[in-house]
């Protein structure tokens, strides 16, 4: 367990300013966290925020926990990764993922289709860009030729991680990526997906130990125990019920089909209280970290001790205030 890195997953929910996110990353750096991840949804541009963080930190690793592959061209993703790697002096990891149709179609106005193939082609092109090669690619969705990165080639090239919940997406990570971002998984669910990762690594003639597994955990470590558990429960119900079918299906695959369907149905029928009530205390503790600082530290250590985990990432519920985020970052810092 001592070899397991402890990362911080900066909040995707609206923070008051870019400065607030920078300050959270600075706090994490001062407390010894290994890396600060930032997702991108329909708020701030993750690459630009990470550039600000890179300029105002010195040691902490940085990364996009997910850069949606539909909202930028693969070449632009590669250019952006090279730029952040430059300004951070080599501290950047690029996390990619398809996101979901709710965000991609309703926010970006792009048709969501064949996410596995799109992810594979994006990885291939980004690797060529970051290697400084003349990009030549004839894919199902990407057809490129004749250009290479005009600026200096990043040295080293940023590692590429993939976020995924389903068996095939995790297999893809094992076959083609340098890391996998796991989320909303019980211990048994994680074991099942690690088998998919190993199968993908075998298909790619790779050592699965070379694929970094980062487990993202929704965390609230507060003296007000009930507040901590309430906001983590609300966050979990929001994703299962309100963010399309991927999170629902992910929970169902782990043996909680009835719960997943109840949360999804009640949420979409407008009965949020019933949706939250369907996630009982035992399930909440299987998926997340919520309670007093002492309870939360013990639970986080339990997740870090799971076989196959290389890093645990302290994430935050949507309803957490800036003060509650700061408190949780401090309470769950590496010892």
């Amino acid at each position: 367990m001592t070899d397991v890195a402890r990362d911080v997953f900066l909040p995707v929910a609206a923070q008051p300013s870019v400065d607030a996110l920078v300050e959270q990353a600075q706090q994490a750096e001062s407390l010894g966290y290994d890396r600060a991840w930032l997702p991108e949804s329909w708020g701030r541009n993750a690459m630009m925020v990470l550039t600000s963080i890179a300029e105002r930190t010195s040691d902490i690793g940085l990364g996009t926990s997910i850069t949606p592959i539909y909202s930028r061209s693969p070449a632009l993703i590669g250019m952006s990764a090279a730029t952040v790697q430059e300004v951070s002096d080599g501290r950047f990891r690029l996390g990619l993922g398809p996101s979901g149709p709710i965000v991609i179609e309703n926010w970006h106005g792009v048709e969501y289709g064949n996410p596995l193939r799109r992810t594979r082609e994006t990885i291939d092109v980004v690797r060529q860009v970051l290697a400084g090669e003349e990009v030549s690619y004839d894919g199902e969705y990407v057809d490129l030729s004749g250009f290479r990165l005009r600026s200096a080639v990043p040295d080293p090239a940023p590692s590429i991680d993939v976020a995924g919940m389903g068996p095939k997406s995790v297999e893809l990570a094992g076959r083609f990526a340098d890391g996998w971002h796991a989320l909303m998984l019980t211990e048994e669910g994680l074991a099942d997906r690690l088998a998919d990762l190993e199968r993908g690594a075998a298909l790619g003639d790779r050592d699965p130990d070379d694929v970094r597994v980062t487990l993202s955990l929704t965390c609230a470590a507060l003296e007000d125990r009930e507040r901590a558990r309430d906001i983590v429960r609300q966050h979990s119900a929001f994703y299962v019920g309100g963010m399309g079918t991927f999170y629902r299906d992910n929970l169902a695959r782990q043996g909680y089909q009835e719960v997943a369907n109840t949360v999804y149905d009640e949420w979409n029928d407008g009965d949020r209280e019933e949706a939250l009530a369907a996630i009982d205390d035992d399930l909440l503790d299987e998926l997340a970290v919520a309670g007093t600082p002492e309870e939360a530290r013990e639970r986080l250590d339990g997740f870090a001790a799971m076989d196959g985990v290389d890093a645990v990432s302290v994430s935050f519920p949507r309803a957490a205030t800036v003060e509650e985020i700061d408190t949780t970052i401090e309470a769950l810092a590496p010892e």
Side-chain angles (χ1 to χ4, degrees):
M1 188 177 71
T2 56
D3 294 332
V4 174
R6 187 158 302 187
D7 299 343
V8 66
F9 188 112
L10 297 175
V12 68
Q15 296 299 291
S17 64
V18 171
D19 281 344
L21 289 162
V22 172
E23 288 164 7
Q24 287 159 2
Q26 290 172 327
Q27 180 190 14
E29 180 176 63
S30 70
L31 292 169
Y33 282 87
D34 289 89
R35 185 169 299 273
W37 297 102
L38 184 67
E40 186 174 274
S41 56
W42 54 94
R44 295 185 176 91
N45 181 308
M47 297 289 188
M48 296 178 71
V49 174
L50 286 174
T51 298
S52 294
I53 292 172
E55 290 289 297
R56 293 161 64 183
T57 57
S58 56
D59 298 316
I60 193 168
L62 305 174
T64 51
S65 50
I66 178 170
T67 300
I69 59 172
Y70 293 89
S71 57
R72 296 175 176 86
S73 73
L76 180 56
I77 292 173
M79 293 163 59
S80 301
T83 303
V84 181
Q85 182 73 325
E86 178 182 353
V87 298
S88 68
D89 293 324
R91 291 183 279 144
F92 181 65
R93 287 183 79 99
L94 173 66
L96 298 173
S99 188
I102 288 179
V103 175
I104 299 306
E105 295 183 351
N106 295 339
W107 178 245
H108 293 292
V110 177
E111 182 181 355
Y112 186 94
N114 204 351
L116 293 174
R117 183 67 200 179
R118 290 285 292 257
T119 302
R120 161 74 187 279
E121 293 189 9
T122 299
I123 294 171
D124 288 345
V125 171
V126 169
R127 287 204 191 282
Q128 289 188 32
V129 172
L130 294 176
E133 302 172 3
E134 181 176 312
V135 179
S136 177
Y137 199 82
D138 182 12
E140 186 174 344
Y141 295 97
V142 182
D143 185 6
L144 305 173
S145 64
F147 284 85
R148 70 175 73 242
L149 188 66
R150 194 173 189 178
S151 56
V153 175
D155 184 19
S159 298
I160 299 175
D161 298 345
V162 169
M165 291 185 287
K168 287 299 182 181
S169 63
V170 179
E171 179 185 296
L172 183 148
R175 188 174 182 181
F176 299 110
D178 301 307
W180 167 48
H181 285 267
L183 67 162
M184 201 171 282
L185 290 170
T186 66
E187 185 168 4
E188 290 185 6
L190 177 65
D192 288 342
R193 297 290 76 77
L194 286 172
D196 300 323
L197 189 82
E198 291 169 2
R199 183 174 61 253
L203 289 169
D205 195 24
R206 309 172 71 206
D207 185 343
D209 289 341
D210 292 337
V211 184
R212 186 182 198 265
V213 175
T214 301
L215 177 61
S216 179
L217 298 157
T218 306
C219 300
L222 308 174
E223 293 298 341
D224 186 341
R225 183 178 189 273
E226 291 310 309
R227 165 69 179 173
R229 295 182 71 79
D230 285 348
I231 59 177
V232 171
R233 198 186 314 271
Q234 190 277 341
H235 181 94
S236 302
F238 168 77
Y239 274 89
V240 174
M243 287 298 290
T245 60
F246 291 133
Y247 291 90
R248 180 196 66 184
D249 294 346
N250 175 56
L251 188 57
R253 272 191 300 269
Q254 299 176 76
Y256 293 97
Q257 183 170 356
E258 184 176 348
V259 173
N261 289 337
T262 298
V263 173
Y264 184 85
D265 292 342
E266 296 293 350
W267 188 277
N268 286 281
D269 285 344
D271 195 337
R272 304 296 165 81
E273 288 188 10
E274 286 299 316
L276 268 64
I279 301 175
D280 64 22
D281 285 339
D282 289 341
L283 179 56
L284 189 69
D285 289 331
E286 283 283 301
L287 295 171
V289 174
T292 65
E294 293 76 15
E295 289 176 311
R297 282 193 293 269
E298 182 178 356
R299 187 70 192 119
L300 187 62
D301 287 343
F303 280 107
M306 291 181 181
D307 290 340
V309 173
D310 297 304
V312 289
S313 183
V314 175
S315 178
F316 309 99
R318 300 168 65 246
T321 66
V322 173
E323 291 75 18
E324 288 168 339
I325 291 167
D326 292 343
T327 297
T328 298
I329 290 174
E330 184 169 357
L332 299 182
E335 295 179 354

